[in-house]
Every structure is written in C-alpha cells, then in structure tokens.
Amino acid sequence: MPQQPVITALHMLGVSPISDPTRAVDKCYTVMVDGKMVGYVPDDQAETLTHKLRYMKVKHLNKVR
C-alpha cells in the first residue's frame, strides 16, 4: 500500500518513523494519522511541526490535504 502524502510530509518535517525513533520516545509525542501511529516528534519540535503542517495543508503543498 503506498504511503499517504501526509505521512511522507510528516517524515520530511522531522517525525521519526516508529521503526526507527531517533530520540528517546519518552521525550516525544506520538504522531497518529487516521488512528494509526506513524511516528514520534520531539516535544520541543511539536509546535513548529504543527504550524508547518497546517501551512502545507492550506497551500496544498506536497499533496497534503
């Protein structure tokens, strides 16, 4: 099954995949898409990631909807 554009965008924005977390997961938020865990984002990067993802959605960048 091909990866959803939003998941690809999340990984480009710094979300670590579940299979390969780059930081201790106790210092990260779990990222979920459509009820499925897709990765982890460090606590100190979560707000920035949220703003970037919202911008991508509004501008329809990288097929994020």
Side-chain angles (χ1 to χ4, degrees), residues 5-18:
V6 69
I7 295 172
T8 302
L10 286 167
H11 291 158
M12 286 182 353
L13 293 172
V15 171
S16 299
I18 291 176

Side-chain angles (χ1 to χ4, degrees), residues 4-53:
Q4 295 178 21
V6 69
I7 295 172
T8 302
L10 286 167
H11 291 158
M12 286 182 353
L13 293 172
V15 171
S16 299
I18 291 176
S19 60
D20 186 30
T22 58
R23 291 181 113 180
V25 295
D26 63 330
K27 297 182 181 179
C28 294
Y29 288 107
T30 302
V31 179
M32 299 184 78
V33 175
D34 294 334
K36 296 179 185 176
M37 285 180 54
V38 296
Y40 302 97
V41 62
D43 294 349
D44 60 349
Q45 295 177 12
E47 186 174 356
T48 301
L49 174 106
T50 303
H51 291 295
K52 288 179 181 178
L53 189 61

Side-chain angles (χ1 to χ4, degrees), residues 47-62:
E47 186 174 356
T48 301
L49 174 106
T50 303
H51 291 295
K52 288 179 181 178
L53 189 61
R54 286 180 181 157
Y55 179 82
M56 291 174 76
K57 185 174 180 176
V58 168
K59 297 291 186 177
H60 301 287
L61 301 175
N62 295 52

